[in-house]
Amino acid sequence: MTDVLWNTWADTYQARPRRTAAPGSTREVVSAVASAAADDLRVRMVGSGHSFTDVAVTDGLLLSPTSLTGLRAVDPDAGTATVEAGLPLCDFNDALAEHGLALANMGDIAVQTMAGAVQTGTHGTGRDAGGLASQVVGLELVLADGSVVECSAEQEPDLFHAARVGLGAFGVVTALTMAVRPAFLLHAREEPMPLDEVLERLPELRADNDHFEFFWFPHTGSTNTKRNNLSKGPARPLAPWRAWLDDDFLSNTVFDRVNRLCRRFPGAVPAVNQVSARALSAREYTDASHRVFASVRDVRFVEMEYAVPAEHVADVLREARSIVDRRGHRVSFPVEVRFAPADDVWLSTAYGRDTAYVAVHMYQGTPYDAYFADLEAVFTSVGGRPHWGKMHTRDRDYLEGVYPRLGDALAVRERVDPDRRFGNAYLDRVFG
């Protein structure tokens, strides 16, 4: 057993694999998988560790994609770019920008590896543009038998539909072909708004903006809303001093210190949140899309997120607010709410339905079990789907009821990995 210890970004899980490897090519991944099979070791590929679950943990062979970071091809005419699994999303954004291209949508963190982000269903918020997996048009996978397969909607379509959000269960993803579009600007408008007003105006706010999201501060009736819309320009980014003040000093340095205080004195949380909510000020700026979508997140936390049918989200938020008040939870982190259109990715949290995402967080080191359990009961009462990479307690019995194509995906898994070479404890729970 190796002494190498791998842990998630939030220290929610650790792994002590028997072996590790950092293959630099698809051929080296094939060799690593064959070597593991010869020793009857299970295989997992990790990313940046930004999943909070044990989805990547193994006691067998742990593959690191740090050497699989090439940009293989860019085709502006076809609107595609092929990238290797381990390239961080932020570096992919920069490479696309050099070619005058961009992703249509992305989440608010961009340090994940491309494969890790796609495989766990990472998403942003959007009226028309869905999560990262919905922008995948092709995958290269190393299967359990050592074969290399390219799949798309036309080639091996069942494998493609199952493996786009595949949790690494169908094979090791070595490259992804993404749909891309000409680079574009976004105009960001951020402003405080009462929670009751946001919930009342949700249909309008969602319909009138390309990308809408909001953050609700527990123990208050206040939110901070963010509306991002395509802009013809010109670009008017935040002044460097304002960007540093808002996004570095206040959102990271000060916020971390405030949370340290609240962790030590939880009784202060409601008052602190009231002050934080009142301190918010509106701002507007226009910048390259990837710089508007993503932010630096240095403060460590633990997160649970559920995808609920969009038509239920207002009631879900009202019940969540009531539970926080009734149950005496002390929550210093805002609740984040985002939206996505229905997609056709079998294991996507947005499969087949317009979706609202409700994400709840607790500062690292703060007890979270009771708060998460109370809200998980609300989310599951409306058929919510847990984010595959964030904390939850659901198993296959529940997931079969909310994923219409789960059985089809597992039939594909039975075909391509009958011996569960790519299995682990997490997959045993959610897939059976």
Side-chain angles (χ1 to χ4, degrees):
M1 184 77 71
T2 180
D3 290 331
V4 174
L5 187 70
W6 177 88
N7 57 274
T8 58
W9 175 81
D11 287 328
T12 45
Y13 287 93
Q14 298 178 334
R16 196 178 294 276
R18 185 171 301 176
R19 289 210 302 262
T20 62
S25 66
T26 300
R27 179 175 296 180
E28 289 181 11
V29 173
V30 171
S31 296
V33 171
S35 174
D39 293 333
D40 197 26
L41 298 179
R42 298 210 282 188
V43 180
R44 299 298 288 164
M45 174 88 93
V46 300
S48 62
H50 264 264
S51 288
F52 299 87
T53 63
D54 49 336
V55 61
V57 170
T58 186
D59 58 1
L61 172 63
L62 192 72
L63 297 179
S64 169
T66 53
S67 298
L68 282 171
T69 57
L71 182 66
R72 292 188 180 178
V74 178
D75 189 338
D77 293 334
T80 61
T82 300
V83 59
E84 291 184 333
L87 188 69
L89 182 55
C90 53
D91 293 344
F92 185 48
N93 288 330
D94 291 340
L96 290 178
E98 292 177 1
H99 291 273
L101 300 168
L103 292 167
N105 197 5
M106 53 178 285
D108 59 3
I109 296 176
V111 298
Q112 311 98 317
T113 62
M114 286 298 300
V118 168
Q119 285 290 282
T120 54
T122 298
H123 61 89
T125 190
R127 180 187 57 210
D128 307 309
L132 285 176
S134 69
Q135 300 169 64
V136 175
V137 296
L139 290 173
E140 179 185 89
L141 295 136
V142 175
L143 301 186
D145 63 3
S147 61
V148 179
V149 175
E150 294 184 2
C151 60
S152 65
E154 295 76 33
Q155 181 179 358
E156 290 275 4
D158 283 356
L159 178 59
F160 176 69
H161 292 309
R164 271 187 287 174
V165 177
L167 316 183
F170 300 87
V172 177
V173 176
T174 48
L176 311 91
T177 299
M178 306 294 297
V180 296
R181 54 157 294 170
F184 60 101
L185 297 172
L186 285 174
H187 174 254
R189 176 184 173 189
E190 302 172 17
E191 62 180 345
M193 189 179 295
L195 176 62
D196 290 338
E197 180 182 350
V198 171
L199 298 183
E200 183 70 26
R201 294 177 56 193
L202 265 183
E204 165 206 339
L205 292 167
R206 289 178 56 207
D208 291 353
N209 295 283
D210 295 318
H211 308 272
F212 172 72
E213 64 183 303
F214 67 94
F215 297 82
W216 164 56
F217 293 81
H219 314 291
T220 81
S222 303
T223 76
N224 192 39
T225 62
K226 185 168 185 177
R227 286 170 265 194
N228 296 332
N229 288 288
L230 272 68
S231 171
K232 294 181 180 179
R236 291 189 175 91
L238 288 170
W241 69 268
R242 181 70 188 272
W244 172 84
L245 178 65
D246 290 354
D247 301 330
D248 188 353
F249 183 65
L250 294 177
S251 295
N252 285 289
T253 304
V254 172
F255 189 55
D256 185 69
R257 290 172 183 171
V258 166
N259 274 277
R260 286 176 183 269
L261 174 69
C262 291
R263 184 175 62 188
R264 186 174 180 184
F265 303 105
V269 169
V272 167
N273 282 13
Q274 292 285 350
V275 172
S276 298
R278 286 196 297 269
L280 292 172
S281 59
R283 65 178 190 174
E284 295 187 47
Y285 59 97
T286 302
D287 207 342
S289 58
H290 63 276
R291 287 196 283 269
V292 174
F293 283 136
S295 305
V296 175
R297 294 284 186 264
D298 290 333
V299 181
R300 304 279 172 138
F301 55 85
V302 179
E303 180 177 359
M304 178 178 70
E305 181 182 74
Y306 266 76
V308 302
E311 63 270 21
H312 293 309
V313 70
D315 290 338
V316 164
L317 264 292
R318 291 186 182 103
E319 180 61 16
R321 183 180 183 181
S322 175
I323 284 174
V324 169
D325 292 339
R326 292 197 321 265
R327 302 277 291 171
H329 298 299
R330 293 293 178 258
V331 184
S332 59
F333 255 81
V335 173
E336 183 180 19
V337 182
R338 294 175 287 173
F339 301 89
D343 65 38
D344 65 351
V345 183
W346 286 358
L347 297 181
S348 164
T349 45
Y351 176 80
R353 69 189 191 192
D354 287 343
T355 294
Y357 293 97
V358 183
V360 298
H361 317 70
M362 288 294 268
Y363 185 60
Q364 188 180 47
T366 303
Y368 60 83
D369 289 347
Y371 172 52
F372 283 10
D374 281 350
L375 292 197
E376 188 172 35
V378 178
F379 302 147
T380 56
S381 72
V382 294
R385 297 167 179 163
H387 189 299
W388 297 108
K390 299 177 184 179
M391 306 298 284
H392 69 92
T393 64
R394 300 299 91 187
D395 59 16
R396 178 173 171 174
D397 288 343
Y398 175 85
L399 295 168
E400 282 181 324
V402 296
Y403 280 98
R405 304 304 296 269
L406 180 60
D408 297 320
L410 295 183
V412 174
R413 187 189 187 204
E414 189 64 33
R415 173 169 63 87
V416 298
D417 188 15
D419 297 324
R420 305 297 186 259
R421 182 64 53 207
F422 303 119
N424 69 355
Y426 179 80
L427 294 180
D428 290 345
R429 174 160 65 87
V430 298
F431 288 165

